[in-house]
Amino acid sequence: MLKPEKQSLRCGAALVEMALILPLLILLFLICVDFGRFATVHVAVTNAAREGANFGGTHSFTDATYELWKSKMGDAITEEMQGVPAFSEEELTIDEPTVLASDQRARVQVKVSYVFRPAVAWPAIPRELTIVRTAEMPVIR
């Protein structure tokens, strides 16, 4: 059994070690949270672009129905983004969809952008990161 003085020294040493390690653990935790948030938003933007292109490829339009088609494509993209925590529709940008014609088959191309803001202002990372994803699907109808 240790003498009370030695027990007190061990508790003091553990306290000093904890004081040195705790800031690093908190930093690591915050890095993981921000990276996880970024990965979630990146996947959501990718899926939203894919969903918009999928809608465009499976729903035909004419010159008279183009605006309605484009609006419903935007609705499909926005609905896909609803799963993002703290989603802001103002940060979402949907470029004009493009219908690409080729010798073989027409394709719909959709470009979606979303502004991601890290929870912590990191020194080497910009305060705003724009995630841009483009998806292309063949027109099947």
Side-chain angles (χ1 to χ4, degrees):
M1 189 153 139
L2 294 173
K3 294 182 181 180
E5 303 88 33
K6 290 203 179 212
Q7 183 69 27
S8 174
L9 288 175
R10 281 195 170 186
C11 287
L15 188 60
V16 169
E17 288 173 3
M18 185 63 166
L20 292 173
I21 297 298
L22 189 60
L24 294 174
L25 289 175
I26 291 172
L27 179 68
L28 182 62
F29 174 76
L30 291 174
I31 289 170
C32 289
V33 167
D34 259 352
F35 183 76
R37 288 180 60 243
F38 177 80
T40 299
V41 172
H42 188 273
V43 168
V45 172
T46 301
N47 289 344
R50 192 175 298 130
E51 187 62 32
N54 186 42
F55 179 90
T58 57
H59 295 80
S60 60
F61 67 93
T62 63
D63 289 340
T65 62
Y66 176 75
E67 289 301 319
L68 177 64
W69 175 79
K70 188 171 77 168
S71 172
K72 288 192 175 195
M73 183 185 299
D75 292 344
I77 291 169
T78 303
E79 184 179 332
E80 189 67 31
M81 290 294 294
Q82 293 295 325
V84 173
F87 169 68
S88 172
E89 201 166 329
E90 292 81 35
E91 305 296 340
L92 180 67
T93 305
I94 304 166
D95 287 3
E96 187 78 20
T98 307
V99 179
L100 307 167
S102 67
D103 296 340
Q104 300 165 357
R105 184 173 231 174
R107 298 176 319 280
V108 174
Q109 187 179 62
V110 178
K111 183 177 178 182
V112 178
S113 307
Y114 188 74
V115 177
F116 171 79
R117 289 185 178 83
V120 177
W122 301 104
I125 297 177
R127 193 64 194 126
E128 292 183 349
L129 300 168
T130 303
I131 301 170
V132 180
R133 302 300 294 162
T134 302
E136 193 174 294
M137 295 284 181
V139 175
I140 58 173
R141 291 186 184 201

